[in-house]
Amino acid sequence: MNTAELERFRSKVVRGPEAHDCWIWTGAIGDDGYGRFWTPTGDGGQRMIRAHRYALALLTGSLEELDEFHVCHTCDNPICVRAEDGPSSHLYAGTAAQNMADRSRRGHHNKQPAAAFFRYETKQERAATARVLRDHVRAHGYDPEAVAVLLRKVTTGQQRLF
């Protein structure tokens, strides 16, 4: 990871103002709702890396160290790239089993119609939500209430239950 690549990555990240806020990826978003970042390869080509994997690799030191791991989100935001040492990080390296257990705890495993209340989204819905959030942050900057509205699909001013 060279300096120009790092600066290009950072130029696509908008950090929320609060200590618990997501860092929103404002670059490309794939059909699965996750951010995409391209890096050059040795042969003059390009390699696509999910933005959250790249963010955690910046913390761990290399992408290769993450090869055997999933990069999991604690925030349920597929375009969050907040990777830090300690409890403020929204990303962590985990096994496939840990990722599936975390997914299950969040209710994303249940495809029953009633599970929609618990934020189950298809890949297409997740991608659409991610793009709306990205476009809003690009146009207006990071507004914590607007981000909450877009992520949680709540109405403006609505208080969280938990």
Side-chain angles (χ1 to χ4, degrees):
M1 297 175 214
N2 63 43
T3 303
E5 184 178 291
L6 178 60
E7 288 307 312
R8 189 168 51 86
F9 180 83
R10 288 184 177 157
S11 75
K12 298 176 184 310
V13 177
V14 175
R15 294 180 179 204
E18 301 296 327
H20 62 277
D21 287 338
C22 291
W23 296 350
I24 305 294
W25 175 252
T26 62
I29 296 174
D31 290 340
D32 57 1
Y34 290 91
R36 292 184 174 192
F37 184 64
W38 280 265
T39 61
T41 60
D43 63 1
Q46 291 186 337
R47 174 183 176 196
M48 188 282 291
I49 303 165
R50 287 184 173 186
H52 62 289
R53 288 190 74 78
Y54 189 88
L56 194 57
L58 291 174
L59 187 65
T60 64
S62 76
L63 286 163
E64 290 73 30
E65 288 184 34
L66 296 175
D67 278 348
E68 297 178 29
F69 295 99
H70 288 244
V71 175
C72 309
H73 287 85
T74 63
C75 59
D76 250 358
N77 180 355
I79 61 170
C80 178
V81 294
R82 185 174 189 152
E84 299 179 289
D85 277 327
S88 60
S89 185
H90 290 199
L91 304 176
Y92 67 94
T95 65
Q98 288 170 318
N99 196 30
M100 290 298 104
D102 186 48
R103 179 180 177 216
S104 180
R105 276 191 302 278
R106 295 175 193 278
H108 289 234
H109 65 291
N110 189 341
K111 295 184 181 182
Q112 299 297 320
F117 180 78
F118 298 102
R119 293 186 23 78
Y120 171 78
E121 292 180 319
T122 65
K123 285 182 180 181
Q124 294 81 12
E125 290 167 333
R126 183 175 59 226
T129 299
R131 288 184 180 115
V132 167
L133 174 59
R134 175 204 56 199
D135 294 346
H136 179 84
V137 170
R138 276 181 177 171
H140 306 287
Y142 197 108
D143 172 5
E145 186 161 341
V147 169
V149 168
L150 294 169
L151 277 178
R152 295 180 185 87
K153 296 183 173 89
V154 298
T155 60
T156 303
Q158 181 178 345
Q159 297 296 310
R160 286 190 245 169
L161 294 175
F162 307 100

